[in-house]
Amino acid sequence: MKDKSTGFKVMAIIGLIVFIIGMCLLFPWLTLLAWNLLASSAGWYLVPVTWGTVCGLALVIVCIRLMFCRSKN
């Protein structure tokens, strides 16, 4: 029989991973919502906020940060 604390630890680690991923996607999601708010008031094209656009924007932000970050050497 498995120990109950092992199952709790596994669930805690999975919950922590889900929380971290959610926090990483929060900024791109809010950015897209702000863009749609401003674009709708100006009569511009609205970007659909889906998992694809949020994850794509997150990937673009990470790539731009990696290209323009300064090394500490």
Side-chain angles (χ1 to χ4, degrees):
M1 188 167 160
K2 289 173 58 174
D3 187 19
K4 289 184 180 180
S5 65
T6 304
F8 179 74
K9 289 177 186 176
V10 170
M11 290 303 292
I13 290 172
I14 291 173
L16 185 64
I17 290 171
V18 168
F19 179 74
I20 290 171
I21 291 172
M23 287 293 106
C24 291
L25 294 178
L26 182 65
F27 179 71
W29 180 66
L30 291 175
T31 304
L32 287 171
L33 288 178
W35 168 260
N36 282 341
L37 177 70
L38 296 173
S40 66
S41 65
W44 293 351
Y45 173 70
L46 297 178
V47 177
V49 180
T50 62
W51 283 107
T53 55
V54 172
C55 292
L57 182 59
L59 185 64
V60 167
I61 291 171
V62 167
C63 290
I64 289 174
R65 283 184 181 171
L66 288 174
M67 286 188 324
F68 292 110
C69 71
R70 296 181 180 176
S71 62
K72 295 186 179 186
N73 293 338

